[in-house]
Amino acid sequence: MSIKEKDDEPVSEKNNEKDVTILAIESSCDETAAAVVRNGREVLSNIISSQIALHTIYGGVVPEIASRKHVEKMNGCIRAALSEAELTLKDIDAVAVTYGPGLVGALLVGVSEAKAIAFATGKPLIGVHHIEGHISANFIENKDLEPPFVCLVVSGGHSHLVVVKDYGEYEIIGQTRDDAAGEAFDKVARAIGLGYPGGPKIDKAAREGNPEAFSFPQAQIPDAEYDFSFSGLKSSVLNYINQAKMQGNELNSNDVAASFQRAVVEVLAGHAVKACKEYGYNKLAIAGGVASNSALRELLEKECEKNHISFYRPSPVLCTDNAAMIGAAAYYEYKKGVRFGLDMNAVPNLPLGDRERRFHAGKN
Ligand code: KG4
Ligand code: ZN
C-alpha cells in the first residue's frame, strides 16, 4: 500500500487560501457512517446508520452481519451526507476513510467505497486510524483546542492514555493489559442481564444504584502506572453474581452496575489526571464510546477543576463511532500532504502512531 507526502507541492500555502471539504467514511465496527467536514472542525453533515438493534439479538457484534449491513447502507449514508451538506462529489476536496483498526470485513466496505469514489472523481484519498478519529472528535466542538494535550481513549476495543504531541503525533503512555474498558462494560452488562450494548445500559442502571454497595477491585500495575487491567474487576463482578445466584440471593443489579462503574471510572480518571500532572499538561480530552459515560464525565469534570486542568469531552454522539471524527482527523493529514494510493487496504490491527502507521501502510 503506498502513502506519499507531496513535499514538492506548496500544499499548505494553497490550502490556507481555500476551504478544505472532506467526505469521510467510517465502517470499522457496527455503525455505517458518512460525514462532510470543512476545515477539520465544521461538520456540514454527520450521518450514522446504527446496527445496534440487529446485533442485540445475538448479544454482541456479529462480524459477517456487520459487513453485509455496511454494504447495504453505505451508499445511502454517503448520499444523505452529501445532500444534507448541500454538496455534490464535485465540491469535495478529498475522500477519507477509516482503514484500521477494526473488523476486517467491515473495514473493507468503507475502504472499497472510498477507493471507488477517489478513482471515479480523481480526488485525493486519505486513510485514517480509527482511534486518531476518536481523538480528533475533540476538535469539532472545541475550536480552541490544539495539541499538546493528554487524551484518554476508551472504546469497545481500546483503552489508551495518549499524549497528543501534535496533530497526528501520539505517544502512548498507558494501555490496557487485557480487556478494553468498553468490553468490560459489555461483558458485565451481559452477566447482569442488561443486554447489549452494555455501556449505556450500565450507565442508566447505575443511576438507580449505590456505587458504594460493593468494593470491586481497581487494578494498579506496579511497573507501568498508566496501564489498565479490567479482567480482574470483571471476574470479581461475575463471581459475585454467580455466588448470589447459587445462594438464591436476590441480585440488586443497579447496585452491581453502579459499583462496577465506580471501579472503572475511578481508575480511568485517576490515571488520566495523574498523567496530566506528572507530564505537565493542563489540558485533558476524552474520546471513544466509554467517554460518553455520565459518571466518568462527572468525575473528570470535578477532578480537572480541582487540579486546574481544562477538560474537553465531545458530545455523546461524537464519542461513539461516527464519520465526522474521521473527517476531522483527515483534515490535518491532508494539510500535511498525506495521500494514499488506490492500493490502500484494510489493516485490522493497525497500531496508533505515525511511524507504525506508515510502516503498516508499506512506506518503509
Ligand atoms: O467507540 P465505540 O463506539 O466503538 C469502538 O470503537 O469500540 O465504543 C463502543 C463501546 C461499547 O463497548 C459500549 O458499551 C461503550 O462504548 N459505551 C459506553 C457508553 N456508551 C457506549 N460505556 C459506558 N458508558 C456509556 N454511556
Ligand atoms: Zn470506535
Side-chain angles (χ1 to χ4, degrees):
M1 197 183 331
S2 61
I3 174 172
K4 45 187 186 287
E5 300 219 14
K6 292 189 170 175
D7 294 334
D8 48 339
E9 277 184 26
V11 178
S12 53
E13 266 175 50
K14 195 176 80 191
N15 291 343
N16 280 341
E17 290 163 15
K18 74 186 253 309
D19 288 334
V20 176
T21 308
I22 294 182
L23 170 66
I25 296 170
E26 154 66 40
S27 70
S28 65
C29 191
D30 59 346
E31 330 277 358
T32 320
V36 178
V37 180
R38 184 163 285 161
N39 299 332
R41 304 210 181 210
E42 189 191 345
V43 177
L44 304 187
S45 62
N46 187 22
I47 307 295
I48 305 168
S49 168
S50 174
Q51 303 179 6
I52 284 178
L54 195 65
H55 297 287
T56 298
I57 315 164
Y58 304 98
V61 178
V62 183
E64 179 63 22
I65 295 177
S67 317
R68 284 164 190 251
K69 263 293 167 214
H70 286 314
V71 172
E72 217 176 278
K73 299 286 180 186
M74 185 56 80
N75 281 333
C77 284
I78 291 173
R79 265 191 219 109
L82 287 168
S83 147
E84 204 175 297
E86 297 182 2
L87 297 175
T88 70
L89 284 176
K90 281 200 188 95
D91 307 309
I92 298 298
D93 294 297
V95 53
V97 64
T98 306
Y99 75 107
L103 302 170
V104 68
L107 286 165
L108 274 171
V109 178
V111 166
S112 310
E113 180 84 24
K115 286 183 352 180
I117 294 173
F119 179 66
T121 59
K123 310 273 178 178
L125 176 67
I126 300 168
V128 174
H129 190 289
H130 182 73
I131 296 304
E132 213 171 319
H134 273 303
I135 294 170
S136 304
N138 281 284
F139 297 133
I140 295 169
E141 291 163 316
N142 301 294
K143 311 291 181 208
D144 60 324
L145 176 63
E146 289 194 20
F149 57 89
V150 173
C151 189
L152 172 70
V153 189
V154 272
S155 70
H158 298 86
S159 302
H160 280 111
L161 199 50
V162 176
V163 175
V164 182
K165 295 182 150 182
D166 202 345
Y167 294 106
E169 238 184 75
Y170 309 96
E171 182 190 347
I172 299 169
I173 57 172
Q175 54 195 308
T176 185
R177 296 286 180 104
D178 37 61
D179 291 348
E183 205 177 341
F185 268 97
D186 293 335
K187 285 176 181 168
V188 166
R190 195 184 306 174
I192 308 176
L194 294 174
Y196 170 86
K201 299 225 163 125
I202 289 202
D203 197 343
K204 190 159 172 251
R207 279 179 218 141
E208 313 295 322
N210 173 12
E212 311 283 341
F214 307 102
S215 201
F216 291 127
Q218 301 187 7
Q220 300 290 340
I221 301 177
D223 57 334
E225 56 183 335
Y226 297 112
D227 276 1
F228 304 103
S229 167
F230 298 109
S231 69
L233 164 63
K234 181 193 67 192
S235 302
S236 171
V237 176
L238 299 190
N239 284 343
Y240 170 77
I241 295 168
N242 287 337
Q243 262 176 21
K245 276 185 193 154
M246 271 161 43
Q247 290 164 358
N249 296 337
E250 204 187 316
L251 185 75
N252 185 331
S253 53
N254 292 341
D255 283 354
V256 176
S259 302
F260 159 77
Q261 181 174 269
R262 174 171 71 90
V264 177
V265 307
E266 283 184 359
V267 167
L268 293 175
H271 281 33
V273 170
K274 190 172 175 197
C276 286
K277 284 160 69 176
E278 286 190 8
Y279 280 75
Y281 292 104
N282 62 359
K283 288 185 272 186
L284 172 67
I286 53 173
V290 182
S292 59
N293 182 270
S294 56
L296 178 65
R297 293 164 86 91
E298 273 165 37
L299 180 60
L300 275 175
E301 207 163 313
K302 218 169 62 194
E303 287 300 310
C304 284
E305 199 182 330
K306 207 159 78 188
N307 291 286
H308 311 291
I309 298 167
S310 306
F311 178 43
Y312 300 87
R313 66 284 205 198
S315 296
V317 69
L318 293 173
C319 286
T320 44
D321 288 350
N322 65 87
M325 67 185 196
I326 303 303
Y331 170 75
Y332 295 99
E333 297 293 287
Y334 180 93
K335 292 281 278 181
K336 280 189 228 161
V338 172
R339 307 287 184 266
F340 278 61
L342 289 175
D343 54 349
M344 174 204 273
N345 205 353
V347 185
N349 59 350
L350 185 68
L352 183 69
D354 222 20
R355 210 176 312 139
E356 288 99 327
R357 190 185 56 204
R358 275 151 209 244
F359 174 73
H360 262 258
K363 171 130 197 244
N364 297 342

